[in-house]
């Protein structure tokens, strides 16, 4: 009995060491990962996203952001979906960058429920997030691209890590470059991914300090006075983190994924301070002008940047688990088909 216990501990130690090697994990992601085990996986996710989009076109932006916020904290492991933490403490979902603005959880739940009915214990929540983001991009921008899959779900979610890893709207150009570099993404990829701000809405709290100083109206550097006046008409000076008022990121076409974001920046209509930073930095501004002039180029490179982002610090193979419910970690008694699960690690047999 002691020998068996020692063997399990040794296995966990080996698997933990392997899981720390991101190059090995990334190499195991591949397009068509579920072709044999769940051939309709991507179709089921697509159906769930399309059904939600029909009722609320704004949900697409929420799903794109959900994937981004997942990958930038602990890698693309669906930790952002966890409502409870097995080790105790608050999760990423309640952190200020995510609560109350992050949305789309119910769409992921619907997709997961459909997948569990069709292919039980097979498709990870992390892969559902990646598929759903891609499908949202297709619906809003007519951009189609293959998504490598094979991610496993993590078992830890910590509120402070969202605060420490997600770039806030107050970042300078250099801070943005450094934060994305820390996630293996280049300055150009940062500018490309920032283009996702062409869809969706933002709570007033994210930019109120650009238009109000207490009760005094102001116009932050790089902000158009006319645009600032529009925003003040929406957002009161008394705005707090819980004020339930939002403004469109792209006033002209908030539900269309296009290159309008880059066209708005020179006009002083970047909603966040961090948006305007792409314009004031010479090297980044060159990219802004390039993507403003060529939408096809931006969409092509944006899709490639999304795929690369989806590879950040992933767990695959014997690392992580496939959650049965995306909101909670599997109980240790749950065994996946053809595998052995122990303490949040899954070893394929």
């Amino acid at each position: 009995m002691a020998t068996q216990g020692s063997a399990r501990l040794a296995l966990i130690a080996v698997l933990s060491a392997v899981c720390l090697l991101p190059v090995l994990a990334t190499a195991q992601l591949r397009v068509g990962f579920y072709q044999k085990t769940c051939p309709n996986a991507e179709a089921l996710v697509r159906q769930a996203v399309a059904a939600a989009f029909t009722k609320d076109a704004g949900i697409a932006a929420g799903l794109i952001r959900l994937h981004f916020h997942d990958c930038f904290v602990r890698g693309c492991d669906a930790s952002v979906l966890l409502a409870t933490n097995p080790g105790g403490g608050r999760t990423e979902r309640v952190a200020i960058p995510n609560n109350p603005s992050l949305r789309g959880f119910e769409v992921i739940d619907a997709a997961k429920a459909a997948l569990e009915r069709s292919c039980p214990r097979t498709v990870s929540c992390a892969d559902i997030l990646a598929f759903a983001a891609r499908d949202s991009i297709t619906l809003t921008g007519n951009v189609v691209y293959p998504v490598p899959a094979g991610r496993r779900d993590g078992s830890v979610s910590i509120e402070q890590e969202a605060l420490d890893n997600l770039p806030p709207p107050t970042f300078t150009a250099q801070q943005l470059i450094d934060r994305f570099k820390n996630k293996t993404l280049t300055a150009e990829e940062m500018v490309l991914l920032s283009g996702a701000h062409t869809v969706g809405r933002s709570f007033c709290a994210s930019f109120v300090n650009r238009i109000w100083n207490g009760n005094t109206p102001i116009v932050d550097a790089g902000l158009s006075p006319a645009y600032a006046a529009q925003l003040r008409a929406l957002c009161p000076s008394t705005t707090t983190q819980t004020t339930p008022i939002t403004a469109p990121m792209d006033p002209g076409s908030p539900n269309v994924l296009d290159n309008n974001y880059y066209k708005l920046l020179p006009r002083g209509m970047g909603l966040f301070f961090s948006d305007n930073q792409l314009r004031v930095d010479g090297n980044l501004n060159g990219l802004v002008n390039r993507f403003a002039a060529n939408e096809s180029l931006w969409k092509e490179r944006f899709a490639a940047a999304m795929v690369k982002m989806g590879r950040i610090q992933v767990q695959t193979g014997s690392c992580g688990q496939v959650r049965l419910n995306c909101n909670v970690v599997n109980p240790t008694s749950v065994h996946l088909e053809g595998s052995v699960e122990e303490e949040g690690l899954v070893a394929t047999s």
Side-chain angles (χ1 to χ4, degrees), residues 151-202:
R151 300 166 188 80
R152 292 283 184 152
D153 300 323
S155 56
V156 176
S157 182
I158 300 172
E159 176 186 15
Q160 185 61 43
E161 291 185 353
L163 296 167
D164 294 341
N165 287 277
L166 292 169
T170 55
F171 259 14
T172 64
Q174 191 57 55
Q175 287 174 315
L176 287 169
I177 291 170
D178 292 344
R179 180 60 53 88
F180 277 70
K181 182 180 180 181
N182 188 46
K183 305 300 178 182
T184 72
L185 296 167
T186 66
E188 178 173 335
E189 287 162 341
M190 180 270 290
V191 176
L192 284 163
L193 292 169
S194 295
H197 286 178
T198 191
V199 290
R201 305 179 68 87
S202 171

Side-chain angles (χ1 to χ4, degrees), residues 121 152 321-322 324 330 334-341 346:
R121 304 180 179 186
R152 292 283 184 152
Q321 59 181 214
V322 174
L324 307 186
N330 292 343
V334 170
H335 289 256
L336 301 180
E337 198 69 31
S339 66
V340 178
E341 188 168 335
V346 177

Side-chain angles (χ1 to χ4, degrees), residues 67-103:
H67 182 42
F68 175 86
H69 280 226
D70 179 44
C71 291
F72 261 59
V73 184
R74 290 190 162 265
C76 309
D77 68 346
S79 57
V80 73
L81 301 178
L82 289 175
T84 59
N85 195 347
R90 290 155 61 92
T91 66
E92 295 167 34
R93 282 177 73 154
V94 300
I96 287 176
N98 296 332
N99 183 31
S101 61
L102 215 56
R103 59 192 299 237

Side-chain angles (χ1 to χ4, degrees), residues 53-306:
F53 183 77
T54 299
K55 298 176 183 177
D56 175 11
I59 198 67
L63 291 168
I64 296 169
R65 187 165 177 254
L66 198 57
H67 182 42
F68 175 86
H69 280 226
D70 179 44
C71 291
F72 261 59
V73 184
R74 290 190 162 265
C76 309
D77 68 346
S79 57
V80 73
L81 301 178
L82 289 175
T84 59
N85 195 347
R90 290 155 61 92
T91 66
E92 295 167 34
R93 282 177 73 154
V94 300
I96 287 176
N98 296 332
N99 183 31
S101 61
L102 215 56
R103 59 192 299 237
F105 297 101
E106 73 284 357
V107 182
I108 302 302
D109 290 343
K112 181 61 173 175
L115 287 163
E116 286 301 311
R117 288 191 295 269
S118 180
C119 317
R121 304 180 179 186
T122 302
V123 182
S124 71
C125 301
D127 278 343
I128 295 173
L129 281 169
F131 293 148
R134 184 269 314 277
D135 297 337
S136 297
I137 290 166
T138 300
L139 287 169
T140 54
N142 196 28
V143 179
V144 180
Y145 60 93
V147 173
R151 300 166 188 80
R152 292 283 184 152
D153 300 323
S155 56
V156 176
S157 182
I158 300 172
E159 176 186 15
Q160 185 61 43
E161 291 185 353
L163 296 167
D164 294 341
N165 287 277
L166 292 169
T170 55
F171 259 14
T172 64
Q174 191 57 55
Q175 287 174 315
L176 287 169
I177 291 170
D178 292 344
R179 180 60 53 88
F180 277 70
K181 182 180 180 181
N182 188 46
K183 305 300 178 182
T184 72
L185 296 167
T186 66
E188 178 173 335
E189 287 162 341
M190 180 270 290
V191 176
L192 284 163
L193 292 169
S194 295
H197 286 178
T198 191
V199 290
R201 305 179 68 87
S202 171
F203 280 87
C204 294
S206 295
F207 57 86
V208 68
N209 63 341
R210 303 192 74 201
I211 56 175
W212 292 105
N213 180 10
N215 292 321
T216 304
I218 61 170
V219 180
D220 193 31
L223 197 61
S224 156
Y227 186 41
Q230 291 178 27
L231 295 174
R232 278 195 296 273
L234 282 172
C235 305
S237 61
T238 54
T239 292
T240 66
Q241 193 66 38
T242 57
T243 300
I245 304 174
T246 62
M249 302 286 287
D250 175 353
S253 53
N255 296 322
V256 179
L257 189 88
D258 53 23
N259 66 338
N260 207 38
Y261 169 78
Y262 302 104
K263 297 176 181 178
L264 291 174
L265 292 182
R267 295 168 53 192
M269 295 182 68
L271 187 60
F272 299 150
F273 173 83
S274 56
D275 290 326
N276 188 61
Q277 287 293 295
L278 306 190
R279 184 167 71 97
V280 300
D281 180 282
N283 292 329
L284 302 182
N285 190 50
L287 293 168
V288 167
N289 293 334
R290 190 176 183 187
F291 299 139
N294 193 331
E295 182 171 278
S296 296
L297 175 67
W298 171 68
K299 285 185 173 180
E300 176 186 338
R301 295 193 179 180
F302 173 71
M306 286 293 295

